[in-house]
């Protein structure tokens, strides 16, 4: 009987200790309301604390700009035009990211979407880096770059002095098209499917998100489509050349 009584006391002591620990942890948890604004409009309100982060969808940037993150600077700019972001992660806000920006005893902070101009390049070519679907891989794109530079040189360009970028996009059609929209600098797409597919699965509107596309173009191991997004003279020239060089 005495042994059972001692065991009960030990069990009660463990429970009291556990409850005290929970209370102590709860004492450290402080909810902080994060209010978001984008382009002068309310974008949402999220609650964060030391145990819970906020997953935040990226706001739609104005034309010609890209979203770079969240800041406490209302106009999105600091001294000399610099922007101080509260976090390097554009879609995740943590309590530790924002707690130092709280004013006094307030339990809320307002963050503003920060945007910057899309970097100006001579040509950006997106390629569908889903090899099983597109037939494209890095070797195929490297070979295309060599031929493209030769073509540009024959047209009196100086490709080695130009800012030309080949950027691979992984994922399904919807995700890749959304990423291309978000990057806002792509001139041409290689390896995706036809207009209907870009519209239905990618959310691309012909005439707006892309200007035209053409099929039976074999840059890699499969015949796929290319789509022209921008209307620059260089893009039009390269778009026509790719059809001539790699078309059926």
């Amino acid at each position: 009987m005495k042994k059972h009584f001692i065991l009960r006391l030990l069990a009660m002591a463990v429970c009291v200790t556990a409850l005290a620990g929970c209370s102590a942890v709860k004492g450290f948890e402080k909810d902080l309301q994060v209010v978001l604004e984008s382009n002068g409009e309310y974008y949402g309100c999220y609650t964060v604390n030391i145990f819970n982060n906020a997953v935040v969808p990226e706001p739609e940037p104005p034309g010609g700009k890209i979203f770079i993150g969240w800041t406490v600077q209302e106009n999105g700019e600091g001294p000399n035009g610099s922007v101080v972001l509260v976090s390097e992660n554009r879609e995740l806000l943590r309590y530790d990211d924002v707690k130092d920006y709280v004013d006094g005893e307030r339990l809320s902070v307002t963050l503003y979407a920060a945007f910057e101009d899309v970097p100006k390049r001579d040509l950006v070519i997106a390629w569908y880096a889903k090899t099983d679907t597109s037939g494209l891989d890095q070797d195929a794109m490297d070979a295309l770059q060599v031929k493209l530079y030769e073509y540009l040189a024959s047209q009196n360009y100086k490709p080695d002095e130009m800012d030309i970028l080949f950027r691979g996009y992984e994922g399904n059609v919807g995700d890749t098209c959304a990423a291309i929209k978000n990057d806002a600098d792509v001139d041409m797409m290689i390896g995706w499917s036809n207009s209907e597919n870009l519209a239905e699965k990618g959310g691309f509107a012909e005439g707006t998100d892309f200007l035209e596309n053409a099929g039976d173009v074999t840059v890699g191991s499969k015949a796929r489509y290319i789509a022209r997004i921008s209307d620059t003279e260089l893009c039009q020239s390269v778009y026509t050349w790719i059809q001539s060089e790699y078309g059926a």
Side-chain angles (χ1 to χ4, degrees):
M1 179 70 72
K2 185 175 181 181
K3 181 178 180 181
H4 286 258
F5 178 72
I6 293 173
L7 288 174
R8 287 196 194 97
L9 285 177
L10 287 172
M12 290 175 63
V14 170
C15 288
V16 170
T17 301
L19 288 171
C22 289
S23 297
V25 170
K26 189 68 177 176
F28 282 108
E29 181 178 354
K30 180 166 61 175
D31 288 345
L32 182 63
Q33 304 302 314
V34 182
V35 180
L36 303 179
E37 289 190 18
S38 176
N39 291 319
E41 297 182 357
Y42 171 79
Y43 188 70
C45 183
Y46 296 83
T47 300
V48 298
N49 52 51
I50 61 173
F51 302 110
N52 298 291
N53 303 321
V55 178
V56 181
E58 293 189 10
E60 187 74 22
K65 292 183 178 292
I66 55 175
F67 172 69
I68 60 173
W70 298 99
T71 178
V72 293
Q73 297 157 268
E74 187 170 356
N75 62 357
E77 293 186 356
N80 301 318
S82 62
V83 178
V84 179
L85 302 177
V86 299
S87 171
E88 293 184 3
N89 194 316
R90 298 181 301 183
E91 298 181 345
L92 184 70
L93 294 176
R94 305 177 304 154
Y95 177 80
D96 285 344
D97 294 331
V98 298
K99 62 181 178 63
D100 293 334
Y101 296 104
V102 177
D103 185 14
E105 296 299 317
R106 295 182 62 183
L107 295 178
S108 68
V109 61
T110 300
L111 302 181
Y112 304 91
F115 304 99
E116 68 178 15
D117 293 334
V118 176
K120 299 298 182 183
R121 302 181 186 275
D122 292 302
L123 185 68
V124 178
I125 296 178
W127 60 281
Y128 197 8
K130 189 176 181 181
T131 305
D132 290 345
T133 299
S134 68
L136 298 175
D137 56 20
Q138 191 60 56
D139 288 341
M141 300 313 297
D142 289 344
L144 170 62
Q145 180 175 334
V146 171
K147 286 189 175 183
L148 173 60
Y149 278 29
E150 291 174 351
Y151 165 72
L152 292 176
S154 73
Q155 301 300 303
N156 298 319
Y157 289 98
K158 297 180 180 179
D160 291 332
E161 299 177 9
M162 298 171 68
D163 191 353
I164 299 174
L165 180 65
F166 290 80
R167 184 189 295 138
Y169 288 84
E170 298 180 0
N172 59 37
V173 175
D175 290 340
T176 54
C177 286
I180 288 171
K181 271 190 176 182
N182 185 67
D183 289 337
D185 64 349
V186 173
D187 296 291
M188 188 183 310
M189 299 165 61
I190 299 177
W192 280 265
S193 189
N194 56 29
S195 299
E196 290 76 13
N197 185 264
L198 291 178
E200 293 173 5
K201 295 185 177 181
F204 269 19
E206 187 170 3
T208 302
D209 297 309
F210 69 98
L211 302 178
E212 60 179 326
N213 77 341
D216 291 325
V217 176
T218 309
V219 174
S221 61
K222 296 183 178 182
R224 300 290 289 178
Y225 282 73
I226 60 172
R228 183 171 64 86
I229 295 177
S230 74
D231 205 26
T232 66
E233 182 179 338
L234 176 61
C235 181
Q236 293 184 55
S237 176
V238 172
Y239 180 79
T240 301
W241 170 79
I242 289 178
Q243 292 179 70
S244 173
E245 183 72 20
Y246 293 92

